[in-house]
Amino acid sequence: AVYITNKDNSNFTEATISIFDMYGRQIYLEKTTLGNTMRIPLNVSNNYLVVRVMKDNNVYTQKVYIR
């Protein structure tokens, strides 16, 4: 699972969450409203993923490792 934490003071902001594998294939896409913490269950293991959150004309990208 991937956990996304909204560290801004602006709770409940609309955002688009995209998750890609290391080959560039999109494995998750959702437009959602961010609260404090969001859990995204994924059926992958032992893999690096790129998580991209687009919110208010800003893009946040992070590489994560799933065990």
Side-chain angles (χ1 to χ4, degrees), residues 1-51:
V2 173
Y3 292 88
I4 297 177
T5 303
N6 185 5
K7 294 186 177 183
D8 293 345
N9 291 330
S10 58
N11 283 337
F12 308 111
T13 304
E14 283 191 19
T16 301
I17 300 169
S18 306
I19 301 177
F20 301 89
D21 65 11
M22 291 312 293
Y23 297 105
R25 295 179 295 209
Q26 187 172 38
I27 61 171
Y28 183 85
L29 174 66
E30 181 180 0
K31 290 186 180 183
T32 186
T33 303
L34 290 178
N36 291 332
T37 301
M38 180 177 182
R39 180 181 187 272
I40 301 172
L42 295 173
N43 194 17
V44 296
S45 61
N46 297 323
N47 202 350
Y48 282 100
L49 300 175
V50 176
V51 179

